Each structure stands twice: as structure tokens, then as C-alpha cells.
Amino acid sequence: MTATPGFTGDANPYQGGDPYADYRTADFPFTRYANLADRRLGAGVVAANDEFFAERENLLVPERAEFDPERFGHKGKIMDGWETRRRRGARAEHPWPTAEDHDWALIRLGAPGVVRGIVVDTAHFRGNHPQAVSVEGASVPGSPSPEELLGDDVKWTTLVPRTPVGGHAANGFPVSLEQRFTHLRVNQHPDGGIARLRVYGEVAPDPAWLAALGTFDVVALENGGSVEDASDLFYSPATNTIQPGRSRTMDEGWETRRRRDRGHDWIRYRLVAQSRIRAVEIDTACLKGNSAGWASVSVRDGEDGEWREILPRTRLQPDTDHRFVLPEPAVGTHARIDVFPDGGISRLRLYGSPTGSGAARLASRHTELGG
């Protein structure tokens, strides 16, 4: 197994041209999971001890950080990220910060879950990035205030120990804890700037909440559904199809490249648990000249179960929300949408509820993760 690449030290000063030309990055295997710190899921930066140069909210902006060399304000260079002021020592004889001095930001995950990896992105922070970072996680029910999160009764668990990082780089950290977290505390030692934070993992929903809902979307990312595989990811990730809300632009859905053969495209999903599906919704919002022509939906029960079609191949219209009530409920743990011959959809919704065994498995998993 190849070790996760690490970057340390300053990057070269910006010399003009493409600012990403000398950006340091790598392929991190854990990025195949969903970003639990996605604002579309409801994530937020709830507090930070300092944001003198650049606002904490920039950490979770979905787009990559941009750099404008001419943009200055009253406090200095305006950066697309979270940047704190320079720390100083307490007295002239020791003008440097202590080893314990650090800045912090509190992150509310959009959906509680098991963290598989974290990327602390210092894009464009070339000589003003932190020397090191650390990340801690906590599981706190409800909607706690910053004061409550900083209280002595909250238990914080180390996900990423204090580790040196590089400037203008994607600093990736795998996480192997089998615990459910709702909030993170990101620390930068001793100060500096971080452009973006990505928290990749698996959603671990509260089974009591799902039980109270009764019927809900059993493939939705926020409820614990996930994408296992897809035939084509050329233009956009398949995970887009199970994000909350409707697509506002074409790139918020899933679109494949143009096929020049007789094949077709597909996405395979894992449901939140074994579920009884009663209705299907396929949305092609914002896909006008490139929506899929036809689609079918199938389910299987168990990893080795046979695929069974629950929605036969059906004509789709561009930029349209299609709704289908099934003639009888369909039980399964996995689902697949096949689109013909290519194109895209923006969302797939499968409305139903967990079976008795599915609900029991959810409750058991919740207990295993410390929920």
C-alpha cells in the first residue's frame, strides 16, 4: 500500500500566469467518499478564534480557491480562505509564539458520519500557511452553540495529530477511526491561512430520526445512501444525483460523455438499509439538450442478490421532474439506474422506509459508532 503523500514547507512566491501551475496535490483514495463538510448537506463553520485577514466561511466554499494578485483591502492582501493574524510572544525577550499557541475553527458537519479522510488545502497560501495542523472530532446531539462545543463536558477525539503541512498544497490525511462525529475542530499551529477544508466519509444517520420520518428518500446522501460505482464520471460526480435539493445549474447533476457505441450508462447505489421502496423520482433539471433519453431502475436485495427491474425503460423529457408510483413495494439493499444511450440526470429519489431487519441494522450500527 502506498503511503499518503505529504507536503511541507513554503511554496515559491507567485511569479505570474496560472497560479495553480506549481500547486502540489495527489490522488487520495478516500476522496471517493462523500464530502461531509459540504454546505449543500448543511455544513457550516460555526466559530473561529480569529479571522482577521480572511473569513472562516471560505473554508467550505465548494469551488476551488481563486487568487487575485491585485486584490487588497484595508487589512492587506485579501485571500480566498481562512487567514488569521500573526501570533506574537508575550514579551520582548521572547517575541515568538509558544509551542502551544494555535488558532482554531469549529466545523459542523452537514451530516453526521464516519470520517475516512481529510484534506486541508492551503492553495495560494505560499509563505503564510500554518506550520502544522491538527483535527479533532466530537459527537454532540442537537444544534449546540459554539459555547457549548467549547465546554469542558465535550469529549474531543484526535483524528489528525499535529502534523507539518506545506503551503500551496492539498494536504491529505487518512482517518481510520470507526466513530460517528457531528463536529470537527481544525487547529492551525501557530497561525496562518487555510483555503479549503474537505471531510470525506460515510453518512451515519440517526435511526430515531429516520423512524420518526416514516417514509423518506432511502438513497439520499443525507439519509445514509451512497454511490458505489458508475459507468462514466467524465463531466461530474455521480454523487450529485443524491444531493439535497434540485439542481440549479447543469453541473450540479450527473452528465456522461457522448457515446459512440451501442452501450449505455448507469449508476449503482447502496441504500441506507434494506428498504421497501414505494415511489421513484427521476429529475433532469437543467439538462436540456443533454438529458438521458430513457431510463430504467432496478434493485437487488443483498450483495449477491439478482437485479430486478422496478421501473421499466421509460422516456425522459429534458429539464423535467418525473414521478412514478410503483404498482407494489420493492424490497432491496441496492439500486441501479440505467440511462439510454447516454446523457444525464440531476437527481434520483427512491421513497420508502426500512424493513424491520433494515431498521435493526441501522440501530445496531448507530450503537457501534457510539451514537
Side-chain angles (χ1 to χ4, degrees), residues 178-180 361 363-371:
E178 287 294 320
Q179 290 181 241
R180 179 182 185 267
R361 179 69 188 95
S364 174
R365 177 66 170 158
H366 190 256
T367 301
E368 290 171 6
L369 297 174

Side-chain angles (χ1 to χ4, degrees), residues 7 23-24 28 30 59 82 117-123 130 132-135 160 165-166 168-173 186-188 193-200:
F7 307 104
Y23 176 67
R24 293 175 287 179
F28 302 116
F30 54 75
L59 282 171
W82 168 50
I118 296 172
V119 173
V120 177
D121 188 350
T122 58
V133 300
S134 60
V135 183
V160 178
V165 294
H168 197 43
N171 299 277
F173 307 96
V186 179
N187 306 303
Q188 48 178 340
I194 297 171
R196 298 288 187 267
L197 177 74
R198 307 296 187 229
V199 182
Y200 297 97

Side-chain angles (χ1 to χ4, degrees), residues 49-246:
N49 72 305
D50 187 295
E51 47 186 328
F52 185 86
F53 286 114
E55 296 83 359
R56 65 183 191 250
E57 288 85 1
N58 289 332
L59 282 171
L60 304 188
V61 171
E63 294 79 21
R64 72 176 187 173
E66 298 298 330
F67 180 71
D68 182 352
E70 306 299 326
R71 193 178 181 206
F72 284 82
H74 296 295
K75 295 181 180 179
K77 182 73 187 72
I78 297 176
M79 296 294 288
D80 185 7
W82 168 50
E83 185 179 9
T84 65
R85 73 194 80 197
R86 299 186 187 216
R87 281 185 170 269
R88 300 296 188 226
R91 61 188 187 279
E93 294 77 15
H94 195 285
W96 310 281
T98 69
E100 292 75 30
D101 284 343
H102 68 279
D103 292 318
W104 52 263
L106 296 176
I107 312 297
R108 180 188 64 246
L109 297 180
V114 180
V115 178
R116 300 301 184 192
I118 296 172
V119 173
V120 177
D121 188 350
T122 58
H124 314 305
F125 289 96
R126 295 169 175 270
N128 52 347
H129 62 286
Q131 182 183 26
V133 300
S134 60
V135 183
E136 301 161 280
S139 183
V140 184
S143 304
S145 67
E147 293 75 20
E148 290 171 322
L149 290 170
L150 294 171
D152 293 338
D153 57 336
V154 173
K155 177 186 176 184
W156 290 93
T157 301
T158 299
L159 278 66
V160 178
R162 184 169 175 169
T163 306
V165 294
H168 197 43
N171 299 277
F173 307 96
V175 178
S176 57
L177 294 172
E178 287 294 320
Q179 290 181 241
R180 179 182 185 267
F181 295 104
T182 61
H183 294 77
L184 299 187
R185 183 164 61 191
V186 179
N187 306 303
Q188 48 178 340
H189 308 267
D191 54 36
I194 297 171
R196 298 288 187 267
L197 177 74
R198 307 296 187 229
V199 182
Y200 297 97
E202 301 172 71
V203 175
D206 180 352
W209 173 253
L210 297 181
L213 293 179
T215 295
F216 56 90
D217 182 1
V218 297
V219 76
L221 181 60
E222 62 187 324
N223 293 332
S226 61
V227 169
E228 288 195 328
D229 200 2
S231 61
D232 189 294
L233 301 173
F234 188 82
Y235 286 115
S236 47
T239 304
N240 281 356
T241 60
I242 54 175
Q243 290 280 3
R246 298 195 74 203

